[in-house]
Amino acid sequence: MNILVVGGAGYIGSHMVKMLLEQGHCVITYDNLSTGFRDAVLGGEFVKGDLADAARLDETFRRFLPDAVMHFASHIQVGESVEHPARYYANNVANTLNLLDAMVRHGVEYFIFSSTAAIFGEPEYLPISPFHPRVPLNPYGRSKWIIEMVLEDYERAYGLKSTCLRYFNAAGADPSGALGERHEPETHLIPLVLQALSGRRDSISVFGRDYDTPDGTCIRDYIHVTDLCAAHSLAMKRLMRTDASSCYNLGNGQGFSVQEVIDAAERVTGRRVKVVDRPRRSGDPARLVADPRLAEKELGWKPAYPDLETIILHAWVWESLGLPSETRRHVA
Ligand code: UDP
């Protein structure tokens, strides 16, 4: 199959490209390299292009005739989205509409969309099922929820079939050590803890110890990036087989607090990290834990790396051995 992976040079997209290539698909990465890395795309065709550029999209669709599109190219920082909502609506909404319109123009029917737990807002119950009310609290969550609603309308009007995958906390790295997380600037907990443990940073900040959780720090559901990609692959197969659009929550169904993540990272690395307590980060719900049972049942998805220490170990291998040397300047 010809699969167009938009944002294939980013963290999750690059792991997806690798998996699709291993499965024997023809992969075309479309990425503007604004936050991704060309050397993270381990094979297939590469088109440097922007989603705002309809002509470039048309040329790409004409040239490669994709059977399906996976869309990973979005802005992902909640805090930034509050400060600069225009950026989020321009990229996550308007640019995604450009992509969907190109799909409609070229008769490509199947779309796998990277959505987020942020569409649910403050949870009314836990674990969060795919049918939990959608009340996003910030422009990032809203931008993703808008596209989920657009997809319903596009299916009705244009027959475009889609699967929305709501990620909880993507983490870890390819078990081979070939790929990993490389955000600049990095804002996610696990890579930041590991950078502090490797000596690239002085300390790790804990944003709030006064949450209503057993140790006072926020609880999240960390899911291995390879397991996320496996879910995409299964979702694409099911979508093409059944023609039935759907939405799934992707997590392990188990929550760990910020302090538990730090403790686990110290155990995995055998090192100690300096912890600095800071005020709460705005917009952080106390607990986010997925109910992944619908994905397990309908996709036959079962995470291969549900264990937090394994997730951290793979990220540590990347942090200590995999990262390009110029990025690793300060490793102890
Ligand atoms: N967090 C933290 N220190 C950091 C980065 C994150 O305490 O340096 C906390 C953050 O407040 C949240 C959890 O770790 O409760 C996970 O945050 P992350 O940014 O990794 O993912 P998010 O849940 O925002 O998608």
Side-chain angles (χ1 to χ4, degrees):
M1 222 110 57
N2 295 349
I3 316 293
L4 182 67
V5 180
V6 179
Y11 169 43
I12 303 170
S14 61
H15 287 75
M16 191 72 239
V17 168
K18 178 171 183 281
M19 183 177 288
L20 290 169
L21 289 168
E22 285 165 0
Q23 291 172 347
H25 295 290
C26 291
V27 183
I28 309 100
T29 294
Y30 187 94
D31 199 300
N32 65 5
L33 297 180
S34 60
T35 55
F37 299 89
R38 177 65 182 88
D39 62 9
V41 183
L42 298 183
E45 301 284 345
F46 180 81
V47 178
K48 183 162 188 283
D50 201 289
L51 285 178
D53 186 346
R56 188 83 169 138
L57 278 171
D58 277 336
E59 184 192 313
T60 305
F61 275 85
R62 263 196 303 270
R63 183 162 162 220
F64 296 106
L65 304 172
D67 299 291
V69 175
M70 293 187 177
H71 178 26
F72 296 91
S74 53
H75 295 329
I76 56 163
Q77 289 179 40
V78 170
E80 184 191 49
S81 81
V82 175
E83 235 171 285
H84 302 288
R87 267 185 217 166
Y88 279 69
Y89 291 117
N91 190 39
N92 296 7
V93 178
N95 281 348
T96 301
L97 291 180
N98 285 341
L99 175 62
L100 295 176
D101 291 344
M103 289 181 66
V104 172
R105 277 197 301 281
H106 293 269
V108 181
E109 275 180 296
Y110 300 111
F111 186 62
I112 307 291
F113 180 56
S114 300
S115 189
T116 170
I119 65 167
F120 299 114
E122 191 65 50
E124 286 180 12
Y125 59 82
L126 291 168
I128 301 172
S129 88
F131 312 106
H132 182 287
R134 268 75 70 173
V135 194
L137 299 176
N138 49 63
Y140 169 61
R142 270 197 272 276
S143 72
K144 294 287 185 172
W145 175 231
I146 288 169
I147 295 300
E148 289 205 14
M149 291 189 290
V150 164
L151 287 170
E152 283 181 25
D153 295 337
Y154 271 45
E155 171 160 27
R156 222 169 284 127
Y158 311 125
L160 192 140
K161 312 281 188 294
S162 64
T163 306
C164 296
L165 299 175
R166 287 90 169 244
Y167 307 165
F168 281 62
N169 285 62
D174 188 73
S176 73
L179 289 171
E181 196 161 0
R182 225 163 130 195
H183 294 120
E184 281 171 20
E186 188 53 75
T187 60
H188 293 115
L189 178 63
I190 291 179
L192 287 173
V193 176
L194 296 179
Q195 288 178 15
L197 284 159
S198 75
R200 280 210 285 150
R201 281 171 199 273
D202 293 338
S203 59
I204 180 71
S205 300
V206 172
F207 295 139
R209 282 199 186 269
D210 55 351
Y211 286 95
D212 182 18
T213 59
D215 66 19
T217 65
C218 286
I219 291 178
R220 293 289 179 273
D221 184 340
Y222 295 88
I223 176 81
H224 197 294
V225 62
T226 301
D227 288 329
L228 276 184
C229 293
H232 284 69
S233 176
L234 292 165
M236 184 180 69
K237 266 191 220 139
R238 179 177 192 274
L239 185 61
M240 290 179 152
R241 193 181 66 242
T242 63
D243 266 355
S245 295
S246 40
C247 299
Y248 302 104
N249 289 358
L250 299 181
N252 281 307
Q254 214 193 336
F256 292 95
S257 72
V258 171
Q259 187 58 54
E260 285 173 330
V261 169
I262 294 172
D263 293 344
E266 289 190 334
R267 279 196 305 278
V268 167
T269 60
R271 300 181 183 195
R272 303 279 300 169
V273 69
K274 183 172 160 205
V275 176
V276 178
D277 290 344
R278 300 210 188 268
R280 289 182 178 201
R281 204 172 61 173
S282 76
D284 270 344
R287 299 167 194 254
L288 288 175
V289 179
D291 178 347
R293 283 176 302 176
L294 192 66
E296 289 168 0
K297 182 167 163 255
E298 292 193 353
L299 301 179
W301 179 62
K302 190 172 184 329
Y305 307 105
D307 171 54
L308 180 64
E309 291 195 8
T310 307
I311 293 172
I312 293 175
L313 176 65
H314 291 167
W316 178 242
V317 170
W318 170 250
E319 167 63 25
S320 46
L321 297 172
L323 271 174
S325 51
E326 69 275 12
T327 321
R328 233 179 333 117
R329 290 189 295 280
H330 299 115
V331 174

